[in-house]
Amino acid sequence: MKKTVLTGDRPTGRLHLGHYVGSIQNRIKLQDEADAAFYMIADVQALTDNAENPEKVRENVLEVALDNLACGLDPKKTTFFIQSQVPQIAELTVFFLNLVTVARLEQNPTVKAEMAQKGFVMSDSENTEIRKSLQYVVANEKIRNVPAGFLAYPISQSADILFCKGNIVPVGEDQKPVIEQCNEIVDTFNRLYGETFERVKHLVGDTPRLVGTDGNAKMSKSLGNCIYLSDSKDTIAQKVQSMYTDPNHIRVEDPGQVEGNVVFTYLDVFDTDKDGVAELKKQYQAGGLGDVVLKRRLTEVLEGMIAPIRARREELAKNPEAIMKILEAGTEQARRVGEQTMNEVRKALHIQYF
Ligand code: ATP
Ligand code: MG
């Protein structure tokens, strides 16, 4: 079986530690093992919830490319491309839209969570307000302001994966339901039109979901709780300084709580000296270890990891034209691959007329 890796980021901001442990580490590993690897900058998907802000999306195309290159994704092994510039993806999306019901999209846990996070579900009182201002509303129907494109993003994401016959997708845990949805599309398509696509495997990283610096369940660009792969040492120190530890650990000699303590959560993920961390936990629980010492250690660990990425990034950022050339060449390659797939798809759909 041919192994084709497809992965990507939304150009909505610079990339952070959550991306690194959730997906980027696997991307780098897989580019050596796979038969083909694609890295997509998902600007079309970013626009589904940033329609009023195209400039932000555009600016961040270069930023996410820089982050991935700085981490070690190699354009000689991985085809870098921009989603909007591959029309075959949009074409495939149109046909996939017919294979999924609106009800199924609304039940998708990723879509549900992100709709809430991005404010597309209104509280009951907001609902009532809007109801009053509208003449025609279906009784008991919740009024939401989710753009159709956003609701349907699992469908376009399936086209992102399948246009190049991707079958391995390194993603964070939050994306699992979207991959399930993709496999439903594969099954339906094959059943209706004949065997065309293979089922897709998602590959979650060692840390499937990194918590935010504020203790929120997910570090996310849109939540402002991130440590970025490009942060300076001072910024890292400041963000670590603001992290929650144990609110009852007031004096150094007080015994402290390790569970739910964000600083320990991060040390567990990023500190390679596991015995050292176990020793710190023991001291902290017994009392006698201050937050200052703990946070200084985490700052050192994160700086040690981020410093080389930051340095490579600064070097690469001096020549944006070279990055755009990489994206342009990769996009041309992605179009060629997409056209091959679309020829098969058009045949399967009986829409080859001329
Ligand atoms: P946005 O808020 O705009 O959706 P994001 O921070 O969620 O941004 P994405 O570009 O949507 O970032 O995600 C890119 C990839 O990184 C996806 O595979 C996603 O699952 C993964 N990822 C994002 N945040 C985390 C996290 N905190 N832990 C693990 N993986 C993550
Ligand atoms: Mg996201």
Side-chain angles (χ1 to χ4, degrees):
M1 192 183 82
K2 202 177 160 203
K3 269 195 190 173
T4 301
V5 179
L6 179 287
T7 177
D9 299 305
R10 293 158 39 97
T12 49
R14 291 181 174 206
L15 300 184
H16 52 66
L17 290 173
H19 296 110
Y20 191 73
V21 292
S23 179
I24 295 177
Q25 279 180 325
N26 270 338
R27 295 174 190 175
I28 292 164
K29 202 165 76 194
L30 283 167
Q31 66 179 351
D32 289 315
E33 298 168 10
D35 298 298
F38 291 87
Y39 167 69
M40 180 185 76
I41 303 182
D43 59 341
V44 177
Q45 191 186 115
L47 284 166
T48 61
D49 57 317
N50 289 281
E52 301 84 17
N53 218 347
E55 204 43 48
K56 168 180 150 188
V57 173
R58 196 202 156 86
E59 278 166 15
N60 282 303
V61 166
L62 187 64
E63 300 296 339
V64 295
L66 279 171
D67 283 321
N68 276 276
L69 290 164
C71 285
L73 211 65
D74 179 352
K76 290 197 194 78
K77 300 173 185 165
T78 298
T79 302
F80 281 59
F81 70 95
I82 305 178
Q83 185 186 20
S84 63
Q85 304 306 303
V86 181
Q88 290 81 3
I89 296 178
E91 192 179 351
L92 195 54
T93 303
V94 170
F95 300 120
F96 286 172
L97 277 164
N98 302 330
L99 309 181
V100 182
T101 64
V102 173
R104 177 66 183 88
L105 290 171
E106 288 179 331
Q107 285 156 12
N108 185 309
T110 308
V111 174
K112 269 183 165 171
E114 291 186 357
M115 265 168 58
Q117 191 208 64
K118 295 175 201 304
F120 291 145
V121 193
M122 292 186 214
S123 65
D124 281 342
S125 59
E126 281 170 315
N127 256 315
T128 317
E129 276 309 302
I130 289 198
R131 237 165 228 289
K132 279 190 213 149
S133 66
L134 290 173
Q135 255 183 309
Y136 305 107
V137 278
V138 183
N140 298 323
E141 183 87 345
K142 278 225 171 196
I143 298 165
R144 291 150 308 156
N145 56 348
V146 60
F150 185 83
L151 185 67
Y153 100 70
I155 300 177
S156 73
Q157 192 162 308
S158 303
D160 301 336
I161 298 168
L162 297 173
F163 93 98
C164 63
K165 301 276 181 104
N167 53 12
I168 302 172
V169 188
V171 282
E173 187 188 52
D174 61 306
Q175 292 296 313
K176 261 180 169 175
V178 180
I179 304 299
E180 276 165 33
Q181 181 106 60
C182 175
N183 279 326
E184 287 171 26
I185 291 176
V186 168
D187 292 344
T188 311
F189 192 98
N190 290 346
R191 180 169 52 78
L192 293 175
Y193 311 118
E195 205 62 34
T196 309
F197 296 110
E198 240 177 77
R199 284 189 135 245
V200 169
K201 240 181 71 183
H202 69 258
L203 199 76
V204 168
D206 292 338
T207 307
R209 184 187 299 252
L210 184 71
V211 300
T213 51
D214 57 354
N216 184 296
K218 185 177 167 244
M219 181 177 280
S220 173
K221 293 184 211 112
S222 314
L223 294 176
N225 59 4
C226 307
I227 294 179
Y228 292 96
L229 296 169
S230 46
D231 275 345
S232 68
K233 185 173 184 184
D234 284 350
T235 307
I236 297 170
Q238 193 192 324
K239 288 179 178 175
V240 170
Q241 191 48 43
S242 72
M243 279 179 178
Y244 288 106
T245 51
D246 169 5
N248 298 320
H249 186 245
I250 297 158
R251 286 165 308 178
V252 174
E253 55 276 22
D254 292 339
Q257 187 71 24
V258 167
E259 294 76 29
N261 185 321
V262 183
V263 179
F264 275 113
T265 307
Y266 278 53
L267 283 173
D268 277 335
V269 174
F270 297 105
D271 197 333
T272 47
D273 176 9
K274 299 295 167 208
D275 293 341
V277 175
E279 189 52 41
L280 283 176
K281 284 182 182 172
K282 242 199 272 167
Q283 282 178 32
Y284 197 77
Q285 282 165 326
L289 179 64
D291 285 352
V292 176
V293 178
L294 204 59
K295 286 180 168 175
R296 200 174 298 141
R297 170 152 180 150
L298 179 58
T299 302
E300 290 306 324
V301 166
L302 294 180
E303 168 64 9
M305 199 198 114
I306 290 176
I309 299 175
R310 193 174 58 220
R312 270 197 303 274
R313 197 185 194 284
E314 276 166 18
E315 217 27 61
L316 289 161
K318 288 182 187 156
N319 194 352
E321 291 81 18
I323 313 289
M324 292 316 287
K325 283 240 156 60
I326 291 172
L327 296 180
E328 193 179 358
T331 300
E332 273 164 26
Q333 165 68 3
R335 282 194 204 125
R336 278 193 291 273
V337 172
E339 198 46 25
Q340 280 170 14
T341 304
M342 280 318 295
N343 277 330
E344 269 182 70
V345 167
R346 291 183 201 116
K347 212 159 137 199
L349 286 168
H350 301 277
I351 55 165
Q352 270 183 326
Y353 298 106
F354 312 111

